Amino acid sequence: MRIHIQNAPEDPLFAITPRQWEEAARRAGEGEAGHDLSIGDRAEEFAAAIAAAEAVIAPPGALSSLFPVAAPRLRLIFCTTAGVDGLAPFSRLPPAAVLVCNRGIHGAKAGEFAIMAILMLAAQMPTLIAAQSCGRWEPRYTQTLAGRRLCVVGLGTLGGAAAARAAAFGMEVTGVSRSGTSPGITACRAVIPADDLDAALPEAEFLLLACPLTPLTRRMIDRRRLASLPQGAGVVNIGRGAVLDEDALADLLAAGHLGGAVLDVFDHEPLPPDHRLWRTPNLVVTPHISADDPTTYNPRTLDRFFAGLAALRRGDPVPNAVDFVRGY
Ligand SMILES: NC(=O)c1ccc[n+]([C@@H]2O[C@H](COP(=O)([O-])OP(=O)(O)OC[C@H]3O[C@@H](n4cnc5c(N)ncnc54)[C@H](OP(=O)(O)O)[C@@H]3O)[C@@H](O)[C@H]2O)c1
C-alpha cells in the first residue's frame, strides 16, 4: 500500500521516524508487506505524495492546512490526535476516505495528570505556591480526597482514566457522557447523560472536563453552570478550551466562589501573553501537555494505524472512525 506520513515541523518530539514505522510494522506482522512509505514535514513533500497515497498519517494542523487537494486513491486518513475539532466540519477532506482519530492512547498519562490536578486543588497548592512566591508562611489544612465528590464530563479514554484514579482515592465519581452510557468504565457511582448535567453540578466539589469539542459541547460549561458549582469547588479542563467560558471561570476564581482551577487547554493556543488567565488567582496554567507521553505516543499511534488498516482491508468497520455529525 502507498502510505504517506506528514510530520509537523513545529513538533519534532512527536515526529514519526522510519525506525518507529519499521518496528510498528513488525509488531503488526506487516514487516514484509512491502508498503511503499514516504515521510515528510514540508508542504512540497505532501504535494508530491498525495496523488498516489492510499493512506495518510498526520496531525490535524497539517490535515487542515494541506487539504483540500486531489487525492483520488486515498482510503484512510489517520489523524494523530484524539480530538478532531480542528478539522470540523470535515468538508475539506476527500469524501471517499475514512477519517480515523487517535482515540485510546492517552489514558495512562491523562489519568495521572487528572489525579495530580485534583490533588493539587484539594491541597490548595495554587494558594500555597502564590504565598511562597511572596515569602508568606500561611498554613492551610485540607481534607483528603476520600468521600469527596467529582463530576467527570466526557467518559472516554481520558475521562475514564481520570475516574478510575479518583475512585482509587475513594472519591465519589459521577460521570457524564453524551449518551448516558460508559461501556467498560466501572469507576463511577452514577453515569448520566449530558442533558442531566445541571442536576450534577451543585453536588460537584470537583469538576473535570474531558469531552471533545463539538457543536453540543462548545461553551457547555457556561457562566450559569460554573456559578452553580458549590462554593470552593475546583475545576480541571483537559478536553478542549472552548468547552468552558474562560472569562466566567476567571471572574468566579477572582471573586472566591471557585476555590481553584487547573487548565491544560484553552480557547486560543498558545495562550496569549497578555491573557488574564495568566494572572488569575488560584489558577494553574499548563500548555496542553496533560495527555501525551512522548516515549509511547508514536508507537501506540502506529499500532492504532495498523489496526485500522487491517480492518479496512478486511472490509470491517474501521475502529475510531470519526462520525462527522457528532464531531468526534
Ligand atoms: N489535553 C490533551 O492533551 C488532550 C489529549 C487527548 C485528547 N484531548 C481531548 O479530549 C477529548 C476526549 O478524548 P478521549 O480520547 O477521551 O475521547 P473519547 O474516548 O472519544 O470519549 C469522548 C467522551 O466524551 C463524551 N461526550 C461527547 N459529547 C458529549 C457531550 N455533549 N456531553 C458530555 N459528554 C460528551 C462521549 O460520550 P459518549 O460515550 O456517549 O459518546 C465520551 O464519553 C478529545 O476529543 C480531545 O479534544 C485532549
Side-chain angles (χ1 to χ4, degrees), residues 147-169:
R148 302 183 74 189
R149 293 182 303 273
L150 167 68
C151 177
V152 178
V153 179
L155 274 184
T157 306
L158 272 61
R165 268 75 172 176
F169 276 81

Side-chain angles (χ1 to χ4, degrees), residues 82-85 101-104 106 153-159 176-183 194 210-214 216-217 220 238-240 264-265 288-292 326 328:
V84 290
D85 46 283
C101 75
N102 203 2
R103 173 192 296 129
H106 301 89
V153 179
L155 274 184
T157 306
L158 272 61
V176 183
S177 66
R178 182 190 50 79
S179 57
T181 64
S182 60
C211 58
L213 179 61
T214 70
L216 285 180
T217 64
M220 176 171 64
I238 58 172
R240 283 288 183 266
D264 182 55
V265 285
H288 204 138
I289 43 74
S290 63
D292 304 339
R326 283 186 193 165
Y328 67 101

Side-chain angles (χ1 to χ4, degrees), residues 274-296:
D274 58 347
H275 200 288
R276 68 180 290 201
L277 289 178
W278 288 113
R279 282 163 294 282
T280 298
N282 295 327
L283 173 64
V284 173
V285 167
T286 60
H288 204 138
I289 43 74
S290 63
D292 304 339
D293 175 348
T295 61
T296 55

